Amino acid sequence: MSDSIIKPAKRTQSITYAVRDIVVLANEIAKSGKEMLYLNIGDPNLFDFEPPRHLIEETYKAMLKNFNGYAPSSGIKSALEAIEKDAEKKEIKNIQDIFITTGASEAIDICLTALLNEGENILTPTPGYPLYTAIQSKLQLYENPYYLDESNGWQPDIDDIKSKINEKTRAIIIINPNNPTGSNASRETLQKIIDIALEHNLVIFSDEIYDKLLMDGEKHISIASLNPEVPVITFGGLSKNYMVPGFRIGWGIVSGNKNALKDYIEAINKLLRARLCANHPEQYGIAPSLLGDQSHLDVAIKKLTSRRNLTVEMLNSIPGISCVEPRGAFYAFPRIHNIDDDKHWTEELMKETGVVVVPGSGFGQLPGTNHFRIVFLPPEDILEKAYRAISQFHEKYMNKFKVSL
Ligand code: PLP
């Protein structure tokens, strides 16, 4: 028998996904019997968050009615209509197409694949959600990060965006509210991004998967609501707002100038047809979710606000750590000052305390800065325990590595 190695494709070489990669080491440590506190995965169902009951009931009924075959490639009619109604509430203008996918993840993959040729680039928010860079590696694009400004509540740095555009730039991604920083983009910032997109003929990908999870009464603005001509694909889904990430239901809403978008929409639909359809019975949960009772959101936002407050207060009281207040989603992205390597810091933290967080480098960050991402979904007692452990660990770490606070 030959012992030749099967070589994987080069396009997989630089694919990483820090949120789950960190679990490999965490599982090793857990084997030694250490109690672990997992603050790495944004899954509300692991804690005291539940989807609305009517969403589950309608999905279950669909399964019992045997709607278990293939669905149309773009999705079932009642769900598409509900997404359109919700988009109209978000004041998204000039909608040209809507399609349902296996999580927003698949919509993102399909829309990037249908637009970009090898060697082209997309302006990508940094820090940002690592799926975007993973797909770009797969498509053999070169990375074109733009930075979010920590000193300005993590708003996109408009000057940095302008300076990064070149003749191969085809699109700009915004994640709003942002993962990992929890920032909510201002109208002014969004307007400037539209101006840039129109000037340079860029498609805007607006990831709004957390749009209903804003705190402090803050309003979410869909970038597609601000201009009817600019080509935008707004990504959404049930995973976060409706707390069923395991359903794998997401969507894309294409809006903007009809003529400019027609070939691109056909390319997207070719890919949608080739993969048949998204999960079928779960699509029956979309209309009841979007159009039904929303009271689960009040309950969730109340919990998230008090957990966010605790997070910001406790982390900011640790010498050498600072944390910008998140406004939405359920993540914070605190900065660790005066260290060289956040991956080393998070690994040591995990070994010493069992607290699992994701290193900032897994989301991208301004060179020379170090961060970690915390998921503040767990109840206050767990968070308090984790932050106390981080505080004690950090002091020891800085002493051990001889860094002054
Ligand atoms: N976009 C962002 C910004 C996310 O944080 C996530 C998941 O964490 C996704 C997309 C993936 O969403 P879905 O579960 O719908 O695939």
Side-chain angles (χ1 to χ4, degrees), residues 17 19 41-43 101-108 128-132 174-180 207-210 235-240 244-251 329-331 363 373:
Y17 189 83
V19 177
I41 294 230
D43 182 348
T101 48
T102 305
S105 303
E106 192 194 28
I108 295 165
Y129 182 55
L131 174 68
Y132 288 97
I174 56 169
I175 302 173
N176 184 36
N178 180 263
N179 174 6
D207 185 330
E208 303 183 4
I209 191 105
Y210 301 97
F235 299 120
L238 296 186
S239 292
K240 313 291 177 170
V244 282
F247 271 36
R248 310 307 302 125
I249 288 288
W251 51 80
F330 30 70
Y331 310 104
F363 303 89
R373 189 192 74 168

Side-chain angles (χ1 to χ4, degrees), residues 15-257:
I15 293 178
T16 55
Y17 189 83
V19 177
R20 294 214 171 197
D21 292 348
I22 193 101
V23 176
V24 180
L25 178 60
N27 288 345
E28 280 301 306
I29 298 169
K31 274 192 210 148
S32 71
K34 198 169 196 72
E35 189 199 349
M36 306 301 284
L37 289 174
Y38 291 95
L39 305 185
N40 61 313
I41 294 230
D43 182 348
N45 306 67
L46 295 175
F47 304 101
D48 54 343
F49 294 88
E50 274 184 27
R53 204 172 163 79
H54 50 272
L55 148 58
I56 307 297
E57 281 166 357
E58 292 306 315
T59 308
Y60 178 57
K61 274 189 214 158
M63 287 178 178
L64 291 177
K65 283 184 195 157
N66 199 20
F67 294 154
N68 300 312
Y70 291 121
S73 291
S74 287
I76 62 169
K77 193 161 171 271
S78 63
L80 291 168
E81 283 169 0
I83 295 166
E84 186 170 3
K85 275 209 182 107
D86 189 59
E88 280 163 6
K89 259 195 256 154
K90 282 154 69 84
E91 296 177 37
I92 294 181
K93 305 206 165 59
N94 226 354
I95 296 174
Q96 303 301 338
D97 197 19
I98 300 178
F99 41 85
I100 297 165
T101 48
T102 305
S105 303
E106 192 194 28
I108 295 165
D109 194 346
I110 286 178
C111 293
L112 266 59
T113 304
L115 183 73
L116 279 295
N117 293 303
E118 198 181 321
E120 293 178 332
N121 69 81
I122 313 177
L123 288 155
T124 307
T126 308
Y129 182 55
L131 174 68
Y132 288 97
T133 42
I135 293 172
Q136 291 180 40
S137 300
K138 189 177 84 174
L139 296 175
Q140 299 183 291
L141 310 182
Y142 73 87
E143 285 183 23
N144 193 358
Y146 73 84
Y147 293 104
L148 307 185
D149 184 357
E150 188 167 10
S151 66
N152 183 23
W154 291 114
Q155 293 287 313
D157 181 337
I158 298 295
D159 290 335
D160 191 47
I161 293 174
K162 284 184 183 160
S163 74
K164 301 276 172 67
I165 295 173
N166 59 42
E167 73 284 358
K168 299 264 188 195
T169 307
R170 301 288 316 282
I172 177 164
I173 297 163
I174 56 169
I175 302 173
N176 184 36
N178 180 263
N179 174 6
T181 66
S183 62
N184 179 31
S186 69
R187 179 181 293 267
E188 194 193 357
T189 304
L190 296 173
Q191 193 57 60
K192 286 181 184 156
I193 292 173
I194 290 175
D195 295 344
I196 294 170
L198 287 172
E199 187 184 339
H200 296 277
N201 196 24
L202 308 180
V203 173
I204 299 174
F205 295 120
S206 184
D207 185 330
E208 303 183 4
I209 191 105
Y210 301 97
D211 67 343
K212 298 188 200 299
L213 295 175
L214 282 176
M215 292 166 276
D216 314 315
E218 201 148 311
K219 194 176 158 3
H220 179 263
I221 301 171
S222 283
I223 193 163
S225 72
L226 299 180
N227 188 300
E229 290 301 305
V230 69
V232 182
I233 305 191
T234 305
F235 299 120
L238 296 186
S239 292
K240 313 291 177 170
N241 292 334
Y242 295 94
M243 293 154 195
V244 282
F247 271 36
R248 310 307 302 125
I249 288 288
W251 51 80
I253 303 164
V254 188
S255 61
N257 184 288

Side-chain angles (χ1 to χ4, degrees), residues 302-349:
K302 201 160 164 234
K303 285 183 186 170
L304 290 175
T305 306
S306 97
R307 293 170 197 186
R308 186 270 321 258
N309 291 347
L310 177 82
T311 299
V312 173
E313 195 188 308
M314 285 192 76
L315 291 175
N316 274 329
S317 73
I318 303 174
I321 290 183
S322 61
C323 182
V324 173
E325 185 177 68
R327 314 314 301 260
F330 30 70
Y331 310 104
F333 201 60
R335 181 161 175 182
I336 321 162
H337 298 266
N338 300 321
I339 65 161
D340 292 333
D341 181 359
D342 49 33
K343 198 156 176 274
H344 181 255
W345 187 91
T346 48
E347 285 174 7
E348 293 296 308
L349 173 74

